[in-house]
């Protein structure tokens, strides 16, 4: 530690010296000018002298009386070369006091011997000066994001030297970075403590450039310190890195709307309006463009939470393309229902553009119709896109009315028309799928559309004695037209609609050879709910739509009138 080393320096003042620097990793080859000495019994000072490229370092260290400590204590020195010192501003070393020079030199020294192979991909290391440095190892070692180890693992009897191409400067001597600017501002103490707890301090000190949306102490207090204290290290790091962008973004560079990716890979939704910047719908920037050496700070008045920490309402509010939906949900008093953490929901969320397309329709709806329409977009279960089969119908909160969900080539559609644009916004009580059209319930003329039929067969009646087929449009069906109770020939694996012009008095049934009703215009029948047949009955005109497949194709035999036995014709399946 710094104080102990200072005491030792006083005991050895006046002895020749050596110096220090930091730790990093490298290859085995030594660059020209930094040749490791051949002797195996040289201490750090002697090894540096023998290498011949650390004369400035050794001269300064000798003047400060550090030589004996460097020669006897077990140390790791990140040693700036003569070229590194030469790149400093002219006269800088002469302007510094002995205490300042000592601070700088000790900032290059670690206690103990650390070989480059022992350095993690990224780690902090406390120097003998007392501050930490950031070490990174990835095919070579860098310190504080800029200084490179150009010759690693120069071993001595009492430690190791790593030659570096840049003089390392403690905080007092370098331009303030993001951490130092936040410290100087005085209203980010909770944020800085959290950054320290998450192990991110040196990252934000030395790497970048970054843009940081920095919540004030008041923002954290509004969230609740108990919430912060209850987070795991992983969760804390996830939330903190959600406030950081890779790259420098000034407030003047912002468009009216933009979605950007944070360091945790989550999305931030930013709007700018006449200088007012809002993040995720509700967090306002109250102090913008605080410049730092390695980026920019924008102070915000709310803590930003990734989707995983918000319910479906929270996650809709943050998205600027869902404001119409959010406004309607709030106006219809549904926000409390959908925020219930004891329930799970799937919300198919139409965009603002989707609502704009039907703005005239929405404007003419009463409150009950608006509520029903909104509930038609909600399923009382959490269903992610990976859980979907190729085709399924699911029950919505609109009095149990179903929607049809289909998946084809990775594209999810609802009721055959609405496409999922963004899937799987997963939160604490469910999931949002953003869609491009508003789903219209049956009461307003929407609902699940009937599949397009291959053929439409129009039948009529001759009193109560016989059926006649008036017209056949499409493929797969044939019959003698206007012939009483004529046989109807159908091809299997096709979809048909039978339109009954006399449906009110002569409801249509399809039966098997034993007379069992398979499908009825009155809504019953043995296979009315047989999914492969996808039976749809139109209550208004009595028509029946079905797919002639599987069990239905094997069983169907006749078409009949429910109350009139004489009205019966054969069905032949090819």
């Amino acid at each position: 530690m710094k104080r102990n080393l200072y005491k030792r320096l006083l005991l050895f003042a006046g002895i020749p010296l050596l110096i220090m620097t930091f730790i990093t990793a490298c290859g085995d080859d030594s660059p020209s000018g930094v040749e490791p000495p051949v002797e195996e019994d040289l201490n750090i000072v002697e090894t540096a002298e023998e290498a011949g490229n650390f004369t400035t370092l050794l001269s300064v260290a000798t003047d400060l009386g550090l030589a004996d400590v460097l020669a006897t204590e077990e140390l790791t020195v990140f040693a700036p070369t003569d070229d590194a010192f030469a790149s400093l501003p002219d006269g800088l070393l002469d302007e510094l006091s002995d205490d300042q020079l000592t601070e700088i030199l000790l900032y290059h020294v670690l206690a103990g011997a650390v070989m480059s192979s022992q350095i993690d991909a990224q780690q902090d290391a406390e120097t003998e000066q007392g501050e930490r440095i950031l070490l990174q190892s990835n095919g070579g070692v860098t310190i504080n994001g800029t200084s490179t180890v150009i010759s690693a693992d120069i071993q001595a009897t009492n430690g190791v030297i790593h030659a570096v191409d840049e003089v390392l400067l403690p905080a007092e001597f370098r331009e303030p970075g993001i951490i130092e600017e936040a410290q100087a501002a005085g209203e980010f103490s909770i944020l800085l403590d959290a950054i320290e707890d998450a192990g991110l301090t040196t990252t934000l000190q030395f790497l970048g450039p970054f843009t940081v949306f920095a919540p004030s102490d008041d923002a954290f207090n509004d969230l609740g310190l108990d919430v912060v204290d209850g987070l795991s290290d992983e969760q804390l790091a996830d939330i903190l890195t959600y406030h950081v962008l890779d790259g420098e973004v000034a407030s003047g560079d912002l468009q009216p709307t933009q979605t950007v990716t944070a360091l945790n890979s989550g999305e931030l939704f930013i709007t700018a309006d006449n200088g007012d910047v809002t993040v995720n719908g509700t967090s306002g920037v109250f102090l913008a463009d605080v410049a730092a050496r390695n980026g920019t700070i924008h102070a915000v008045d709310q803590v930003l939470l990734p989707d995983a920490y918000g319910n479906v309402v929270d996650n809709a509010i943050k998205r600027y393309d869902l404001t119409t939906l959010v406004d309607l949900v709030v106006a219809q008093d549904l926000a409390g229902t959908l925020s219930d953490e004891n329930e799970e929901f799937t919300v198919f969320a139409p965009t603002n553009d989707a609502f704009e397309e039907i703005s005239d329709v929405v404007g003419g709806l009463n409150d009950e119709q608006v509520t029903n329409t909104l509930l038609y977009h909600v399923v009382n279960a959490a269903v992610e896109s990976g859980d979907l089969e190729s085709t399924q119908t699911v029950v919505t909160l609109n009095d149990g009315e179903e929607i049809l969900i289909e998946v084809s080539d990775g594209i999810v559609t609802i009721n055959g028309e609405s496409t999922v644009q963004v899937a799987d916004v997963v939160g604490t009580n469910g999931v949002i799928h953003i869609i491009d059209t508003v789903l219209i319930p049956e009461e307003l003329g929407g609902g699940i559309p009937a599949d397009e039929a291959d053929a439409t067969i129009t039948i009529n009646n001759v009193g109560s004695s016989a059926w006649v087929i008036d017209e056949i449009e499409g493929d797969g069906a044939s019959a003698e037209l206007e012939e009483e109770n004529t046989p109807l020939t159908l091809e299997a694996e096709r979809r048909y609609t039978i339109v009954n012009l006399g449906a009110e008095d002569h409801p249509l049934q399809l039966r098997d050879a034993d007379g069992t009703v398979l499908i009825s215009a009155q809504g019953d029948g043995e296979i009315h709910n047989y999914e492969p047949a996808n039976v749809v009955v139109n209550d208004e005109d009595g028509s029946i739509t079905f797919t002639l497949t599987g069990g239905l194709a094997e069983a169907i035999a006749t078409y009949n009138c429910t109350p009139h036995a004489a009205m019966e014709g054969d069905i032949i399946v090819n």
Side-chain angles (χ1 to χ4, degrees), residues 277-413:
V277 178
T278 304
V279 186
N280 286 358
T282 57
S283 184
V285 172
F286 66 87
L287 178 63
D289 302 320
V290 179
R293 182 192 71 258
N294 62 330
T296 299
I297 299 172
H298 304 296
V300 292
D301 59 11
Q302 289 183 15
V303 177
L304 308 174
L305 295 176
D307 290 333
Y309 303 89
N311 58 50
V312 293
V313 175
D314 297 327
N315 291 338
I317 287 172
K318 70 168 61 173
R319 288 166 163 80
Y320 49 75
D321 57 346
L322 299 181
T323 56
T324 303
L325 172 65
V326 170
D327 290 345
L328 289 171
V329 166
V330 171
Q332 300 307 122
D333 293 326
L334 294 175
T337 299
L338 297 177
S339 298
D340 189 345
E341 296 289 348
N342 295 316
E343 297 286 344
E344 286 192 333
F345 303 104
T346 298
V347 178
F348 294 95
T351 62
N352 295 342
D353 288 342
F355 277 104
E356 181 63 28
E357 287 291 325
I358 61 164
S359 58
D360 292 343
V361 175
V362 174
L365 301 180
N366 60 39
D367 284 346
E368 182 180 2
Q369 291 172 323
V370 173
T371 296
N372 291 345
T373 300
L374 293 174
L375 293 177
Y376 189 56
H377 293 76
V378 184
V379 176
N380 200 182
V383 183
E384 297 183 34
S385 61
D387 300 328
L388 297 173
E389 299 176 358
S390 59
T391 301
Q392 57 264 289
T393 55
V394 296
V395 174
T396 71
L397 293 187
N398 182 32
D399 290 330
E401 185 178 350
E402 294 181 334
I403 55 175
L404 172 66
I405 305 175
E406 298 172 292
V407 183
S408 178
D409 295 327
I411 298 173
V412 179
T413 56

Side-chain angles (χ1 to χ4, degrees), residues 19 25-26 41 59 92 100 106 121 221 228 236 337 359 388 454-455 459 477 521:
I19 190 152
C26 224
D41 57 353
S59 174
L92 175 62
Q100 290 175 320
L106 293 180
N221 286 321
V228 179
L236 183 60
T337 299
S359 58
L388 297 173
D454 292 299
I459 65 172

Side-chain angles (χ1 to χ4, degrees), residues 118-454:
Q118 296 175 290
I119 299 173
D120 294 337
Q122 182 164 318
Q123 68 179 83
D124 295 349
E126 186 174 351
T127 69
E128 288 293 278
Q129 178 261 358
E131 295 182 27
R132 286 173 300 180
I133 55 174
L134 176 65
L135 305 178
Q136 294 174 290
S137 177
N138 182 17
V141 175
T142 57
I143 305 148
N144 292 352
T146 58
S147 182
T148 301
V149 171
I150 58 175
S151 182
D153 303 328
I154 304 172
Q155 297 186 55
T157 56
N158 66 319
V160 62
I161 298 172
H162 303 294
V164 295
D165 63 356
E166 184 178 296
V167 177
L168 308 175
L169 296 175
E172 178 186 354
F173 305 99
R174 63 176 182 259
E175 192 177 342
I178 288 170
I179 293 296
E180 290 80 19
E181 289 290 353
Q183 290 169 337
E187 55 186 325
F188 303 109
S189 59
I190 300 174
L191 172 63
L192 290 168
D193 287 345
I195 289 171
E196 177 66 19
D197 290 343
L200 296 171
T201 299
T202 54
T203 296
L204 295 176
Q205 272 182 318
F206 300 117
L207 303 184
F210 298 123
T211 298
V212 178
F213 294 96
S216 64
D217 290 340
D218 287 343
F220 274 101
N221 286 321
D222 289 343
L223 176 66
L225 295 184
D226 56 333
V227 175
V228 179
D229 293 339
L231 297 171
S232 68
D233 290 346
E234 183 178 357
Q235 290 172 325
L236 183 60
D238 183 40
I239 290 173
L240 292 174
T241 52
Y242 184 58
H243 292 74
V244 183
L245 305 181
D246 190 5
E248 199 164 356
V249 181
S251 61
D253 297 332
L254 295 173
Q255 301 299 313
T257 61
Q258 52 261 293
T259 301
V260 296
T261 303
L263 285 191
N264 78 331
S265 298
E267 290 182 326
L268 293 172
F269 305 90
I270 304 173
T271 60
D273 182 15
N274 294 323
D276 293 330
V277 178
T278 304
V279 186
N280 286 358
T282 57
S283 184
V285 172
F286 66 87
L287 178 63
D289 302 320
V290 179
R293 182 192 71 258
N294 62 330
T296 299
I297 299 172
H298 304 296
V300 292
D301 59 11
Q302 289 183 15
V303 177
L304 308 174
L305 295 176
D307 290 333
Y309 303 89
N311 58 50
V312 293
V313 175
D314 297 327
N315 291 338
I317 287 172
K318 70 168 61 173
R319 288 166 163 80
Y320 49 75
D321 57 346
L322 299 181
T323 56
T324 303
L325 172 65
V326 170
D327 290 345
L328 289 171
V329 166
V330 171
Q332 300 307 122
D333 293 326
L334 294 175
T337 299
L338 297 177
S339 298
D340 189 345
E341 296 289 348
N342 295 316
E343 297 286 344
E344 286 192 333
F345 303 104
T346 298
V347 178
F348 294 95
T351 62
N352 295 342
D353 288 342
F355 277 104
E356 181 63 28
E357 287 291 325
I358 61 164
S359 58
D360 292 343
V361 175
V362 174
L365 301 180
N366 60 39
D367 284 346
E368 182 180 2
Q369 291 172 323
V370 173
T371 296
N372 291 345
T373 300
L374 293 174
L375 293 177
Y376 189 56
H377 293 76
V378 184
V379 176
N380 200 182
V383 183
E384 297 183 34
S385 61
D387 300 328
L388 297 173
E389 299 176 358
S390 59
T391 301
Q392 57 264 289
T393 55
V394 296
V395 174
T396 71
L397 293 187
N398 182 32
D399 290 330
E401 185 178 350
E402 294 181 334
I403 55 175
L404 172 66
I405 305 175
E406 298 172 292
V407 183
S408 178
D409 295 327
I411 298 173
V412 179
T413 56
I414 317 298
N415 286 355
E417 297 180 355
S418 186
T419 301
V420 172
Q421 295 180 319
V422 178
D424 300 329
V425 180
V426 179
T428 57
N429 71 336
V431 58
I432 295 173
H433 304 294
I434 299 175
I435 57 178
D436 60 0
T437 60
V438 178
L439 306 177
I440 305 299
E442 237 178 78
E443 66 172 315
L444 299 177
I448 299 175
D451 290 349
E452 185 175 347
D454 292 299

Side-chain angles (χ1 to χ4, degrees), residues 459-470 482-485 500-508 559-568:
I459 65 172
N460 208 336
N461 58 292
V462 179
S464 58
S465 62
W467 295 108
V468 291
I469 297 177
D470 286 352
E482 305 300 334
E483 181 177 310
E484 295 185 6
N485 292 336
N500 182 6
L501 299 181
E504 184 175 355
D505 295 322
H506 305 283
L508 178 67
Y559 60 99
N560 310 78
C561 174
T562 301
H564 304 113
M567 297 176 64
E568 178 179 276

